[in-house]
Amino acid sequence: LDSHVANDVAAECRSAQLVMVIPSTQHVADVGIIGAGPAGLALAHAMINEGHSVRIFERRNSFRPVGAAVFMHPFALNSLRTISPALEGQLQDVCTQIHTLSFTTLSPDAPTFKLDKLGDAPDVLGAPFVSVRFWDMLQALRIGLPDDCFAFDHQLDTFEQHADSGVTLHFNSAKPPCSVRFLIDAGGIRSAARKQLVGDERIPRLRATFSVLSPNKVAAAHAAIGGQTTAGELAFVAGEDLSVVSMGLDDGTVMWSQTDLTADPHAPIALGPEELRSRLDEQYDADWPDTIRAYASATELEDTIETTVCELPVSWRWGGGDVTLLGDAAHAQLPALGLGVSTAFGDIEVLVKQVRRHGLSRKALRWYERSRQPACAALQLMSRAMYGLNKVSAFAGSSKP
């Protein structure tokens, strides 16, 4: 296997050289990182810890609250600990440890269970299962990064590789181009670098709604309707064609999401306050647990992000020359297994290992890609299979024509 990988690395480096026709300029950083999300921020820490300068190019015009909440597996924190124990500690400080997993169905013939052993994960797996507000995670991962490493309002359009070394970045605004020694795109499923490297398109699969409810809203809704929220419980509730996931955080905040498995993911998103209220009241009738009905009653448009959930095709090309992809840019998968952020942190751990082995070089990038691609391809396919099972189940159990 090692000889095959080495041969592939050498061949790809030679191939990449053939298309590098742009003369090099002064680099603004050793590593240019696309995206100031969890993957980009953690990667910046890792590269700085290895002694390399970084510049993070972020399409947003400022560092501001964004997103709902995420779930992470123990291996995500284990990967961060390998990169930087301090970084893992910063993130754990804002996370809620998941100790209970519950699954409930509205059908009396389907199984319902509760698993209360997830709290043993630190002893068994080395780290806990956790949930965290997305914005809290971003703030924790930003701690320790210098302000001058961020370049906001820079959305990558295309890149060009130099004849000797380095990459020139072109942005789709009036921002002037700049050059970096290596480019790592951690900008997510809309990656411009992937579009240029691979040329594939996102695949729309699901229509999902994500909501984060404040402790006051949650308490008032429980008082009016009933039910209760348990901090540290990850709860799944399966309806006829709706799937609901909720997580209670330590401060009383609740993240809940719903996926309509029969909705057209290609339909335009046009949701107003009255439409949202009417839809939630219609969907969550008396058949649903009081806890879920309370969440639905408390949800307003300002609490909600409605989106089309997409995946990317499995690709065996993540880079070439001085460019590589990381996280969702390389292997965006459906959220059925809750592995998005966790897998990205695993990418960083392997990339750092290869940089320590080969130095910051094309060889390190190619070894990273070859090392991660099989496992990530398997996770993409497993997530797709879970989606397929849920879709079939939804249609089989639906009473709609």
Side-chain angles (χ1 to χ4, degrees), residues 103-113 238-240 393 396-397:
F103 182 82
T104 304
T105 66
L106 302 190
S107 170
D109 300 325
T112 293
F113 66 85
E240 185 177 74
S393 176

Side-chain angles (χ1 to χ4, degrees), residues 246-269:
S246 66
M247 293 184 287
L249 305 185
D250 285 336
D251 66 355
T253 297
V254 165
M255 190 288 289
W256 79 288
S257 67
Q258 67 164 25
T259 303
D260 186 342
L261 297 170
T262 62
D264 179 7
H266 299 274
I269 298 174

Side-chain angles (χ1 to χ4, degrees), residues 157 185 190-201 325:
D157 185 19
D185 192 334
R190 294 177 175 84
S191 165
R194 177 173 177 128
K195 185 175 182 180
Q196 184 171 335
L197 285 165
V198 183
D200 54 10
E201 299 290 339
L325 307 175

Side-chain angles (χ1 to χ4, degrees), residues 198-222:
V198 183
D200 54 10
E201 299 290 339
R202 291 172 288 160
I203 306 171
R205 294 293 193 189
L206 303 166
R207 180 59 53 82
T209 304
F210 301 88
S211 303
V212 177
L213 304 178
S214 68
N216 289 340
K217 285 186 176 182
V218 173
H222 283 320

Side-chain angles (χ1 to χ4, degrees), residues 94-122:
V94 298
C95 289
T96 294
Q97 181 171 339
I98 300 296
H99 54 70
T100 302
L101 171 68
S102 63
F103 182 82
T104 304
T105 66
L106 302 190
S107 170
D109 300 325
T112 293
F113 66 85
K114 179 175 287 190
L115 177 65
D116 59 1
K117 297 297 184 182
L118 268 66
D120 296 338

